[in-house]
Amino acid sequence: MSDVPRIRVAICTYKRNEPLRNLLDALVAVAEKTKSRATVGVVVVDDNPDKRAREVVDGFVGAFALGIEYRTSGKANISIARNLAITTAMEGSDWVAMVDDDCEPEPDWLCNYLDVLELTGADCATGPMNLRVPEGSPAWLSKQPFFEDVRFEFENAAPMNVAATNNSIIRASFLRDNPKIRFDPEFGKIGGEDMVFYRTAHGAGLAIRFAKHAGVWGNEPPERATLKHQVMYRFWLGNSMTVTNSYFGESRLRLFARGAKIVAKSLLRPFRRIVELESPQFRYCLASSAMGLGMIAGVFGYKKSH
């Protein structure tokens, strides 16, 4: 067993005790499924000033072979919390997996990651996050492609230049050998910190692959099952795309053109669908247009908090 890799799962949590409990329950099943191939531990960083997640973590003491460790940040800045999480998780481990506190991985999550990592020899892998809404949510959320345009979808083992912290795994030795590659606190309030982190790491030589079958479920709460949320979320997403791509040197003119193209394509989409005798999907048109407008707003210096 000394040759079995050690994986610690790094989680940051903020005002989500019940989703965190569901995630930890899912990770117990993951650890059981993975035990012949790896030993698993968990690190939870509580970003709540009142330390409310401690009671949840205490309920899982003894549930993982490598233990469960509780740390506090309380800064309400996700970058600071993520840095504490990976710094803690990289010690005494071979791999650091990351997942958000409102997600649930399938039992074979880490096994599917190990398959890709062993096949390719990569330093990192990322997988899809499949969003789902609670029972009783509006039917249009599922019938229209609201969750398709926010999900990674590539061939298994395909090379990537980026990864997402809602579902990824990275070699612990890379983190130890590159102490300056960390999550930027400037992005801790507006989001996009994971895109900047992983693109920077890739530029420093981190080999990233896509693990098509290492998916997690993102559980949307009822308050997000509204058109207002979908519009505002995509506006933020587009704005974050501009902010992060500007950080890496993409010109404002090109970003403006990309945003304008998204708006134009979104507004034309219902008419094209009507001609093809399909439903126009006006709600999705509005939400996808908001992504382009968010990009354009970012060109003019606007930064929307996440």
Side-chain angles (χ1 to χ4, degrees):
M1 291 295 291
S2 61
D3 294 330
V4 172
R6 299 159 299 172
I7 304 173
R8 298 183 83 185
V9 182
I11 304 163
C12 299
T13 188
Y14 183 68
K15 295 184 178 180
R16 289 175 176 166
N17 272 20
E18 196 56 38
L20 175 63
R21 185 176 287 107
N22 293 337
L23 167 58
L24 293 175
D25 278 332
L27 288 175
V28 170
V30 169
E32 176 64 23
K33 183 81 172 183
T34 315
K35 66 182 182 181
S36 65
R37 299 183 62 182
T39 52
V40 177
V42 175
V43 172
V44 176
V45 172
D46 190 349
D47 208 19
N48 297 289
D50 59 7
K51 303 180 181 180
R52 69 180 66 182
R54 179 183 286 277
E55 63 171 319
V56 177
V57 175
D58 286 348
F60 290 85
V61 172
F64 301 97
L66 296 180
I68 184 167
E69 188 167 353
Y70 175 82
R71 301 291 301 274
T72 58
S73 174
K75 305 294 186 183
N77 183 304
I78 189 61
S79 289
I80 295 173
R82 291 199 195 285
N83 286 335
L84 178 57
I86 62 172
T87 298
T88 304
M90 72 185 185
E91 298 303 328
S93 65
D94 301 295
W95 297 95
V96 175
M98 287 181 260
V99 63
D100 283 350
D101 60 353
D102 57 351
C103 293
E104 289 183 64
E106 298 286 353
D108 56 359
W109 178 53
L110 292 179
C111 288
N112 287 325
Y113 266 138
L114 290 170
D115 288 343
V116 170
L117 294 168
E118 291 169 3
L119 174 68
T120 64
D123 306 304
C124 176
T126 191
M129 183 180 73
N130 307 296
L131 290 171
R132 59 188 176 189
V133 292
E135 187 176 348
S137 297
W140 51 263
L141 262 177
S142 301
K143 291 181 178 179
Q144 299 181 32
F146 281 94
F147 301 144
E148 295 176 13
D149 60 355
V150 294
R151 179 178 58 202
F152 282 156
E153 194 61 63
F154 302 95
E155 291 300 316
N156 194 47
M160 306 277 289
N161 66 357
V162 73
T165 46
N166 57 37
N167 184 13
S168 58
I169 188 169
I170 184 170
R171 197 181 297 274
S173 60
F174 180 89
L175 297 172
R176 292 190 290 266
D177 294 343
N178 294 274
K180 292 184 179 181
I181 298 179
R182 293 295 184 265
F183 295 95
D184 189 339
E186 289 190 14
F187 290 88
K189 296 286 189 179
I190 61 174
E193 77 290 339
D194 53 347
M195 298 295 108
V196 171
F197 170 83
Y198 273 119
R199 283 184 64 177
T200 302
H202 180 265
L206 182 74
I208 308 173
R209 295 295 183 121
F210 186 66
K212 185 179 180 70
H213 305 296
V216 301
W217 289 100
N219 297 311
E220 295 281 75
E223 58 268 24
R224 292 188 179 180
T226 66
L227 180 59
K228 180 181 178 180
H229 171 79
Q230 297 303 322
V231 170
M232 296 308 297
Y233 170 71
R234 278 166 179 72
F235 182 89
W236 165 81
L237 185 61
N239 189 249
S240 179
M241 287 169 62
T242 290
V243 173
T244 54
N245 282 291
S246 295
Y247 179 87
F248 288 102
E250 188 168 351
S251 73
R252 291 180 180 273
L253 180 60
R254 183 172 179 180
L255 289 165
F256 181 91
R258 286 176 61 190
K261 182 177 179 180
I262 290 173
V263 173
K265 184 178 179 181
S266 299
L267 293 177
L268 288 172
R269 188 174 188 273
F271 299 100
R272 176 181 58 79
R273 290 181 60 84
I274 290 171
V275 168
E276 295 172 352
L277 302 180
E278 297 179 314
S279 63
Q281 299 184 342
F282 288 120
R283 293 182 180 88
Y284 179 72
C285 162
L286 179 62
S288 55
S289 297
M291 182 182 292
L293 292 174
M295 290 191 71
I296 293 171
V299 169
F300 291 100
Y302 179 75
K303 297 180 180 180
K304 180 172 174 55
S305 296
H306 187 27

